[in-house]
Amino acid sequence: MKVLVTVKEVAAVDDEFEIDGLTIDDRYVTADLNEWDEYAVEAAVQIREAGDDVEVVGVTIGDADTEETIRQALAKGVDRAVRVWDDALADAGLLDPETKARVLAAVAAEEDPDLVLTGVQSADDGFGATGVTLAEKLGFEWAAVVNDLDLDRDAGVAHVHRELEGGVEELTDVELPAVLTIQTGINEPRYASLRGIRQAQSKELTEYTLADLGLDAGDVDSPLEQTSLYEPESEGDATVFEGSAEETAAELAGVLRDRGVGQ
Amino acid sequence: MTVLTVAEHRRGELRDVSRELLTAGRQVADATGGELHAAVVGGDVKAFADDLNRDGVDRIHTVDDGAEFNHDVYTQVVTQLAEAVDPDLLLLPNSVNGLDYAPAVASRLDRPLVTDAVGLSMGEEPTVTRELYGSKVETTIDVHAERAVVTVRPAEWPAAEGTGDATVEPFDAEIDESAVRSTVTGFEEVGGGEVDITDADVLVSVGRGIEEEENLDLIFDLADALDATVSASRPIIDNGWLEKDRQVGQSGKVVTPDVYIAIGISGAVQHVAGMKGADTIVAINTDPNAPIFDIADYGIHDDLFEVVPALIEEFR
């Protein structure tokens, strides 16, 4: 059995930052493995550990700088990884779910996985749609926002819980092959061990260009164009207490007492 | 131009986002002198159609297929309906279920998809406003296509009101049963533990800023001093530091206490959806730009590890 897990390096923005045109200035940005993908990686590695004939392959779309991030996934137990990048992708601007799914589907066509795990969404652009779009492209079944997974390989069914709004979970049976988008909290992502980090350096990381996958620049020509980026105006009219912690706490205590708190 | 919205319902209830979609759709249709269509798939479609018949809705399509949401059925129905109505803009909810079928529909219709819209306008081409990096910035996206699929963030537009005179008509979709490869087998409520955060008058709520599990003692000490109940935002629950029934937010509980004290919580939209109904909201966070301050009544821009002990001292 083969599990393909998609991972993305995302940008986290500092509390204070400056906007430079259509991006945030690099000085205020830290790159990291997308939080949702960490749970997807853990789910994939747990499936591998439950069976001795499972291979877990990671895939990312990203430039050479993202290699370090994908090696984090390798260090946590992903067997090998694929990274797709070239000049056409670099020039493509906003990669919408359709574009990303097209590239990932080409990788899936090479790998022929039984199961694809993705994070529900990415922490930076948060489209939350790449996984289901990918399923549609592959003709796979799917389930979005999965927070519990019980894989019955013999029956070819994934028994999943989907986390709906308001503290309700939907129980669904999904036929394989399938794409599942994984919600945070489904498991406890492991820390990479020192041994894992060392091993990750020697694990196979295949680099593909679009041409390697039978795609060209036209395939990553997104219809979406980002035209502005700005800080939203604060809608707040909060009374902000200033001063030392003792002073602000005292003022807040006054407000709370007025409302009958702690009486 | 024509806008088509698709309602959402669960366990016999139309969800609020269904009527919010009508407001967003009407806004765009008005700006272009167009028509607003709504659709509802499955469940008691007659009752749902009555509820969707609000001011400004021109036509309501009812599709009598199944009791509950199944994405394989929804994908087929909504794709066929969109092909029949041919809307310039197909508006779907940016809910868990919306995101479970909208991408498949967009892909089948070969129309661009923009998710989680917080703003929407229609010139010659659609323009969508979205948030990035956990609501720290907003961006506008021009969609270079005449027709698009957009998912709309819940609670961003007011719900449509009034009574309309829409034409209600059934739509017969042809469902290919062999393409239905997922089966919903039931629902489960999470939690059911000993704490009922929805019943508390005062909530001391803790988020990622608490850093370590053992630091939660500080939060429980404060709750003791204030005679309050402890709740939390999602990361604390995901880490397994507190039980699921203490989670406030879109996927947790909706709470309406007299006082809500958000400590080390940035105020992601999913969290805010669960607590904005509190009478008085207090936020303690080091980041003065945290979105929580947009809805707070009182704020302290400081280190919680300084302020919370001082606050406990005040109530000793």
Side-chain angles (χ1 to χ4, degrees):
Chain A
M1 182 182 196
K2 192 186 280 187
V3 181
L4 188 66
V5 57
T6 67
V7 296
K8 181 183 175 189
E9 180 179 284
V10 293
V13 174
D14 295 347
D15 289 348
E16 301 285 341
F17 60 89
E18 285 172 32
I19 291 171
D20 181 9
L22 293 175
T23 57
I24 309 262
D25 194 288
D26 278 349
R27 284 174 293 165
Y28 309 103
V29 172
T30 318
D32 205 353
L33 178 59
N34 181 37
E35 185 182 358
W36 282 265
D37 298 347
E38 290 201 43
Y39 290 85
V41 164
E42 179 63 31
V45 172
Q46 286 185 9
I47 291 168
R48 210 242 347 255
E49 288 170 347
D52 52 13
D53 57 343
V54 181
E55 185 185 29
V56 177
V57 181
V59 54
T60 195
I61 302 171
D63 63 21
D65 290 345
T66 64
E67 183 174 326
E68 201 179 318
T69 297
I70 194 148
R71 292 231 183 253
Q72 284 183 42
L74 292 168
K76 291 179 183 206
V78 170
D79 295 304
R80 62 184 173 83
V82 171
R83 181 173 69 80
V84 187
W85 197 248
D86 64 10
D87 290 346
L89 277 161
D91 294 340
L94 180 64
L95 292 181
D96 68 326
E98 176 75 17
T99 309
K100 283 183 267 193
R102 200 175 289 140
V103 174
L104 295 171
V107 173
E110 297 259 320
E111 295 287 348
D112 193 24
D114 304 281
L115 183 66
V116 181
L117 301 181
T118 75
V120 163
Q121 65 183 78
S122 56
D124 47 10
D125 62 20
F127 272 104
T130 304
V132 175
T133 310
L134 175 61
E136 181 63 22
K137 293 218 164 297
L138 294 172
F140 281 20
E141 190 48 38
W142 72 87
V145 193
V146 168
N147 70 346
D148 190 74
L149 167 61
D150 172 17
L151 191 64
D152 183 345
R153 288 178 58 188
D154 293 335
V157 174
H159 305 285
V160 305
H161 289 204
R162 296 181 54 237
E163 184 189 81
L164 305 180
E165 296 86 352
V168 178
E169 295 184 1
E170 179 200 275
L171 283 54
T172 303
D173 290 345
V174 181
E175 285 181 22
L176 300 186
V179 178
L180 307 178
T181 80
I182 302 296
Q183 175 66 304
T184 61
I186 187 175
N187 51 38
E188 286 182 39
R190 69 195 66 192
Y191 289 100
S193 64
L194 278 175
R195 187 161 158 263
I197 293 167
R198 259 201 316 275
Q199 283 177 341
Q201 293 309 317
S202 55
K203 283 184 178 175
E204 184 184 332
L205 177 57
T206 310
E207 292 167 14
Y208 285 131
T209 63
L210 290 178
D212 293 332
L213 296 166
L215 301 172
D216 60 33
D219 290 308
V220 294
D221 188 13
S222 166
L224 308 189
E225 184 191 357
Q226 187 186 330
T227 51
S228 72
L229 188 73
Y230 52 92
E231 279 188 72
E233 296 213 351
S234 171
E235 297 156 13
D237 52 1
T239 303
V240 176
F241 301 125
E242 314 237 350
S244 68
E246 286 69 26
E247 287 161 353
T248 56
E251 292 212 60
L252 176 55
V255 167
L256 293 176
R257 283 196 193 96
D258 285 347
R259 280 159 181 69
V261 177
Q263 305 287 310
Chain B
M1 61 165 288
T2 305
V3 180
L4 171 62
T5 73
V6 180
E8 177 163 310
H9 58 86
R10 185 184 305 151
R11 300 162 104 181
E13 300 275 339
L14 203 62
R15 301 198 66 232
D16 293 343
V17 69
S18 307
R19 290 197 290 124
E20 295 159 14
L21 282 169
L22 297 177
T23 305
R26 190 64 248 170
Q27 217 171 49
V28 178
D30 273 348
T32 58
E35 282 197 0
L36 174 62
H37 293 226
V40 60
V41 184
D44 187 352
V45 291
K46 195 174 168 308
F48 292 147
D50 283 347
D51 199 339
L52 292 169
N53 201 341
R54 304 280 165 175
D55 268 345
V57 181
D58 295 298
R59 201 168 284 268
I60 298 170
H61 308 273
T62 58
V63 188
D64 201 355
D65 261 302
E68 287 292 343
F69 175 79
N70 173 297
H71 68 231
D72 295 310
V73 172
Y74 264 61
T75 301
Q76 294 188 50
V77 168
V78 176
T79 302
Q80 288 172 34
L81 185 60
E83 281 166 346
V85 174
D86 195 26
D88 300 82
L89 205 54
L90 175 59
L91 291 186
L92 305 176
N94 197 76
S95 57
V96 171
N97 282 346
L99 288 172
D100 197 41
Y101 78 98
V105 169
S107 195
R108 280 184 202 186
L109 293 171
D110 198 20
R111 293 180 190 181
L113 169 70
V114 188
T115 60
D116 204 18
V118 298
L120 198 56
S121 66
M122 192 82 191
E124 287 192 4
E125 293 179 336
T127 298
V128 182
T129 307
R130 303 183 77 242
E131 292 180 346
L132 292 178
Y133 309 114
S135 306
K136 283 191 172 170
V137 293
E138 282 189 0
T139 183
T140 48
I141 291 178
D142 283 0
V143 185
H144 297 306
E146 286 179 4
R147 288 169 163 64
V149 181
V150 175
T151 67
V152 170
R153 179 180 290 181
E156 203 63 30
W157 277 265
E161 295 184 349
T163 310
D165 54 0
T167 312
V168 179
E169 56 189 19
F171 177 80
D172 282 327
E174 282 181 29
I175 306 300
D176 174 4
E177 293 294 340
S178 69
V180 179
R181 292 171 292 165
S182 67
T183 314
V184 178
T185 58
F187 294 93
E188 220 172 76
E189 309 279 344
V190 300
E194 288 163 13
V195 184
D196 185 1
I197 60 170
T198 63
D199 201 32
D201 295 328
V202 183
L203 281 174
V204 173
S205 207
V206 59
R208 210 187 279 267
I210 198 69
E211 294 173 5
E212 303 281 345
E213 184 172 10
E214 48 267 34
N215 295 338
L216 283 175
D217 290 347
L218 186 63
I219 302 302
F220 278 96
D221 286 350
L222 178 63
D224 270 350
L226 301 180
D227 194 17
T229 303
V230 173
S231 59
S233 68
R234 173 161 204 122
I236 303 300
I237 311 299
D238 280 351
N239 285 344
W241 295 352
L242 288 174
E243 313 81 49
K244 264 189 175 175
D245 44 5
R246 289 191 193 259
Q247 186 185 335
V248 173
Q250 210 168 64
S251 53
K253 300 276 173 61
V254 174
V255 296
T256 52
D258 298 334
V259 176
Y260 188 87
I261 307 175
I263 302 175
I265 290 177
S266 67
V269 60
Q270 294 85 352
H271 181 76
V272 169
M275 47 66 77
K276 64 184 173 194
D279 280 347
T280 300
I281 297 170
V282 178
I284 302 170
N285 200 307
T286 46
D287 174 8
N289 298 318
I292 192 77
F293 291 114
D294 284 346
I295 58 156
D297 300 293
Y298 298 93
I300 297 176
H301 301 160
D302 201 352
D303 186 348
L304 74 90
F305 297 106
E306 302 282 330
V307 177
V308 173
L311 196 53
I312 293 170
E313 221 30 65
E314 286 286 332
F315 283 89
R316 277 231 166 99

